[in-house]
Amino acid sequence: MIELGHAPRKSTGFLLILASFIALDLLSWPIFFSYYLFVFADRSNFLNLDYLLDQHLRLGVDTFYQYGLIPVFLQHVLFVIFGGGYWPLIGCTIAVLILMAMFWARLVWCVSNRWLSIVAVIAISPVLLIVNPNLPYSLVQLSMLFALLFLVEGRADIALAVAVIGTFCVPSLPLLLTGLLAIYVGAEWWINSERSISMLARKLAPGVLTYVLLAVGLSLFFGVRSVLATALPLLGTKFYYGGGKFDYDDLITFLHPRGHSSLYYVGYYVVTPATWWMLSTVGLVILAVFALMAMIRNRRVDPKYGAVIICAVVQVFFAVFAYRGDGQHTIYDPITAAGMLLGLWLVPAPRWRSSLLILFTLIGLSAQAAQARQTVWAWRNTHPSALTANLYAEPEYAPQLAHILKIADTQKVLMMSNATGVHHYYPRLRSADTWFLVETQMFPADHERVLANIRDADVVVEDTAHVPYFTDRDPEVQSQLRSMCLTEVTRNFQIWWRHPPSSVECKINQRQTTSTLSATSKR
């Protein structure tokens, strides 16, 4: 029998964690190869950026784009070498999986190389690894986690350089992490080292040099204006907080979805990550306070305590200022988990340490039940086919797409979907020439291109799997659609003809668009 306190070999921990991550992806195969995620979700939009670059549109300048440029450059290189589509992105996902396993194995080895720690990481692996991640956030996770790892190992200068890479992937929380690491380096220099300017310069040099080299390199490929537009979260802030909007609706929906019974809430808090996330946030703050007190008492900066404090600050900032979008916590859950595990491993009393670690693991294990249910649903209700690019899709997608493609044999068909990369998988279809089909994620030039796309189309297909807010609310788009004939309404699409077949009767659009709302108000 294996004792949970026994120390395994260094390679054993890595192989076990790697095996658990691989098993998670294999068990989640229909999600790993999800048609919806690759064709009708964010991965499709990111793929379309390569087409926008082919049109010589400058990201963040000629077309709206709020993330960093490193993921775009990496995707472009992969597409040039291996061709476009989801297979190069699958390769990235596998590489991320291996690197994530390396991170967790090294973190366990650095702070508490015991079987209990490895079991804890394996048990909460669905929290630590997104099965089908979006490329920019995969890079964000890797940069932030490995920055924390280098800090724990006492190499704060390297940690700063690694964090800087994340700022060019998504300029949000990686910027905060970079700033916190710079403060840590300064504090370490002031308290623990000789206070010479040359020493401080040497500690900051890797981060500064990395930033300069990346800025120059990306400017040579994308242009200086694109780098300046995407280096800071100005466009992202405009998207999330434009018009003075600032609320906690998305966070509240995650923590306490409205309008349900008491019985529902009991189940919700048992089988979803909400309880784990709330307890981890509170626990991380408490552990950070103890870590800060320990450093004050010892009158020295300690890298492990510093990492716990940094994780707590990042988590609190994320909860208070940056939680936007459904399920966004999954992006930063690994950082939260790393901070919690590190803080628990540093608890001085061994009995308390083991008990708290087991409790943390059990709560995290329970939180995965909803994800397990979603995975079972995907196995039962999605299947691959040639019409869905051999990706797992719900059965109705294939016949609907077959019908749309048949129309495209004789008509110019525009797919009006928030996922703007659909045309890559169906070259007979056209997509909107923008990153997202969202009003607040468009420049005026993007809007004009979309209107031109509609005017040039013989048939417009609306993707209604999710409410198409842009087409419903934009008056100019509605004006164009009112001049057309709505011929078909299916579960996922609405089809509009500019010159419909004579045998077809036009239908009434039942959705609450700007035109129907204004007509209702006039009555």
Side-chain angles (χ1 to χ4, degrees):
M1 180 178 177
I2 296 175
E3 295 184 9
L4 293 180
H6 181 67
R9 294 179 181 178
K10 190 173 183 178
S11 60
T12 302
F14 168 70
L15 292 175
L16 287 173
I17 293 171
L18 178 64
S20 71
F21 286 178
I22 293 173
L24 174 63
D25 278 358
L26 291 176
L27 290 171
S28 308
W29 194 260
I31 298 174
F32 193 77
F33 284 97
S34 167
Y35 174 76
Y36 173 76
L37 291 178
F38 278 114
V39 182
F40 284 99
D42 290 10
R43 291 99 179 124
S44 176
N45 298 83
F46 205 77
L47 179 150
N48 193 47
L49 290 173
D50 213 55
Y51 286 89
L52 297 179
L53 289 176
D54 286 343
Q55 297 177 38
H56 305 290
L57 296 174
R58 294 168 296 175
L59 302 185
V61 181
D62 301 320
T63 187
F64 187 96
Y65 178 68
Q66 69 192 51
Y67 290 169
L69 295 174
I70 286 180
V72 185
F73 178 76
L74 176 60
Q75 176 181 255
H76 178 76
V77 171
L78 290 172
F79 285 178
V80 168
I81 297 173
F82 301 106
Y86 61 85
W87 278 112
L89 303 179
I90 290 288
C92 285
T93 301
I94 294 171
V96 168
L97 181 150
I98 296 171
L99 290 171
M100 292 288 272
M102 288 175 59
F103 164 79
W104 290 106
R106 283 185 63 179
L107 186 67
V108 168
W109 181 262
C110 285
V111 293
S112 178
N113 187 33
R114 295 292 185 270
W115 280 106
L116 180 58
S117 304
I118 295 174
V119 169
V121 170
I122 292 173
I124 64 170
S125 56
V127 176
L128 310 179
L129 185 76
I130 300 176
V131 171
N132 189 328
N134 205 4
L135 179 59
Y137 283 111
S138 291
L139 301 180
V140 165
Q141 287 181 334
L142 289 175
S143 68
M144 295 182 74
L145 290 172
F146 274 91
L148 291 170
L149 178 63
F150 284 118
L151 175 60
V152 169
E153 293 177 343
R155 294 185 284 177
D157 53 343
I158 305 300
L160 182 61
V162 174
V164 162
I165 296 173
T167 67
F168 285 98
C169 296
V170 178
S172 56
L173 292 191
L175 281 171
L176 174 62
L177 177 61
T178 300
L180 293 172
L181 286 170
I183 293 172
Y184 177 90
V185 168
E188 185 182 50
W189 166 79
W190 182 260
I191 296 174
N192 296 347
S193 306
E194 58 175 285
R195 298 176 188 173
S196 66
I197 298 301
S198 60
M199 174 66 73
L200 180 61
R202 284 198 297 272
K203 288 180 175 292
L204 294 175
V208 174
L209 184 61
T210 300
Y211 193 93
V212 171
L213 289 176
L214 287 174
V216 171
L218 293 171
S219 295
L220 292 174
F221 186 82
F222 293 100
V224 174
R225 291 185 64 186
S226 285
V227 172
L228 292 176
T230 57
L232 295 174
L234 301 179
L235 291 175
T237 301
K238 181 180 178 181
F239 168 58
Y240 288 117
Y241 305 110
K245 61 177 181 180
F246 184 89
D247 56 57
Y248 293 100
D249 287 351
D250 293 325
L251 179 61
I252 292 171
T253 300
F254 167 52
L255 298 181
H256 188 75
R258 299 181 178 93
H260 297 283
S261 65
S262 299
L263 184 61
Y264 172 88
Y265 289 123
V266 171
Y268 180 81
Y269 290 120
V270 171
V271 304
T272 70
T275 299
W276 178 90
W277 190 88
M278 287 187 285
L279 293 177
S280 295
T281 301
V282 175
L284 193 51
V285 171
I286 294 172
L287 291 169
V289 171
F290 280 111
L292 180 60
M293 291 172 60
M295 287 199 294
I296 293 173
R297 186 170 57 251
N298 297 330
R299 295 184 178 181
R300 63 183 299 272
V301 175
D302 182 274
K304 295 183 177 66
Y305 288 141
V308 174
I309 294 170
I310 287 174
C311 286
V313 173
V314 169
Q315 177 70 357
V316 170
F317 184 91
F318 170 62
V320 175
F321 298 108
Y323 195 104
R324 292 293 181 272
D326 182 34
Q328 197 178 30
H329 65 92
T330 58
I331 299 166
Y332 301 106
D333 280 350
I335 289 87
T336 307
M340 275 297 294
L341 290 172
L342 183 56
L344 293 174
W345 286 326
L346 295 175
V347 171
R351 181 175 297 180
W352 277 102
R353 182 193 312 147
S354 298
S355 299
L356 290 172
L357 185 57
I358 291 171
L359 179 62
F360 172 78
T361 304
L362 291 176
I363 295 172
L365 193 61
S366 172
Q368 301 161 28
Q371 182 175 338
R373 181 180 179 182
Q374 181 185 5
T375 303
V376 171
W377 183 92
W379 275 107
R380 291 176 175 174
N381 296 282
T382 63
H383 308 281
S385 70
L387 269 171
T388 58
N390 294 313
L391 294 167
Y392 282 74
E394 294 178 59
E396 62 269 15
Y397 267 107
Q400 289 177 86
L401 263 299
H403 176 60
I404 293 169
L405 292 173
K406 185 176 180 181
I407 296 173
D409 287 338
T410 57
Q411 307 291 324
K412 290 189 290 185
V413 177
L414 173 66
M415 175 63 73
M416 284 287 285
S417 171
N418 189 39
T420 54
V422 177
H423 63 98
H424 174 83
Y425 298 98
Y426 303 102
R428 282 178 282 174
L429 304 181
R430 303 179 182 189
S431 295
D433 289 327
T434 184
W435 182 35
F436 274 93
L437 204 60
V438 177
E439 180 185 4
T440 50
Q441 289 180 297
M442 287 186 189
F443 290 150
D446 293 311
H447 188 261
E448 288 302 317
R449 284 196 302 273
V450 173
L451 292 177
N453 294 148
I454 298 174
R455 287 191 289 265
D456 187 53
D458 299 320
V459 176
V460 173
V461 177
E462 282 187 278
D463 170 18
T464 57
H466 289 291
V467 180
Y469 290 114
F470 174 74
T471 54
D472 283 355
R473 295 174 179 175
D474 187 276
E476 293 180 89
V477 172
Q478 281 299 304
S479 175
Q480 290 289 327
L481 292 182
R482 283 198 303 272
S483 68
M484 303 176 75
C485 174
L486 176 61
T487 60
E488 295 173 68
V489 178
T490 67
R491 178 182 172 186
N492 298 309
F493 303 104
Q494 288 194 163
I495 302 177
W496 301 77
W497 286 69
R498 192 170 302 281
H499 303 290
S502 56
S503 59
V504 173
E505 182 178 346
C506 297
K507 300 179 182 294
I508 298 175
N509 187 7
Q510 299 294 330
R511 291 205 319 278
Q512 292 291 302
T513 64
T514 52
S515 56
T516 58
L517 287 173
S518 61
T520 303
S521 63
K522 289 177 181 178
R523 296 194 196 104

